[in-house]
Amino acid sequence: MHEFDDAVLQCFLDNQGQLFPEEDVASNLEEAEAFLEECLAVVVNSIDEVWDYFEEAGVDVDGARGDEILEANEVFDIGDGRYLIVEG
């Protein structure tokens, strides 16, 4: 089971529209945590780890380089150097 702290959960709540523009999937921290656990979201500690995750998952990054990977809808910048990756 994953443990997501409040900063991660709040980041997802505030920005979930970037991945799910049609409708919110969570309306509070508990729903956000349940959703992130269900879809096996991960928190990584650097842009390099975001790249590693996408490479290991075999995700096509459309020629992105450097911090361009952060423009992917699945990547949420938590704001403290960590990134949440959610595969919708």
Side-chain angles (χ1 to χ4, degrees):
M1 179 187 285
H2 295 92
E3 298 271 336
F4 300 104
D5 61 37
D6 286 350
V8 172
L9 298 174
Q10 193 62 55
C11 173
F12 179 72
L13 274 177
D14 293 345
N15 300 292
Q16 62 186 307
Q18 78 185 35
L19 187 56
F20 304 103
E22 303 84 30
E23 176 178 342
D24 287 350
V25 295
S27 60
N28 59 48
L29 295 179
E30 287 138 3
E31 289 179 4
E33 184 170 32
F35 178 81
L36 294 176
E37 287 176 350
E38 184 177 310
C39 67
L40 304 176
V42 297
V43 176
V44 297
N45 295 312
S46 68
I47 293 174
D48 289 339
E49 288 183 18
V50 173
W51 278 106
D52 291 344
Y53 176 88
F54 277 87
E55 184 176 296
E56 288 173 17
V59 175
D60 181 16
V61 293
D62 287 332
R65 296 185 179 165
D67 62 358
E68 290 175 357
I69 193 73
L70 302 180
E71 295 174 17
N73 291 343
E74 298 90 348
V75 179
F76 295 79
D77 185 348
I78 299 168
D80 60 4
R82 299 179 298 158
Y83 299 92
L84 171 66
I85 303 171
V86 181
E87 290 194 50

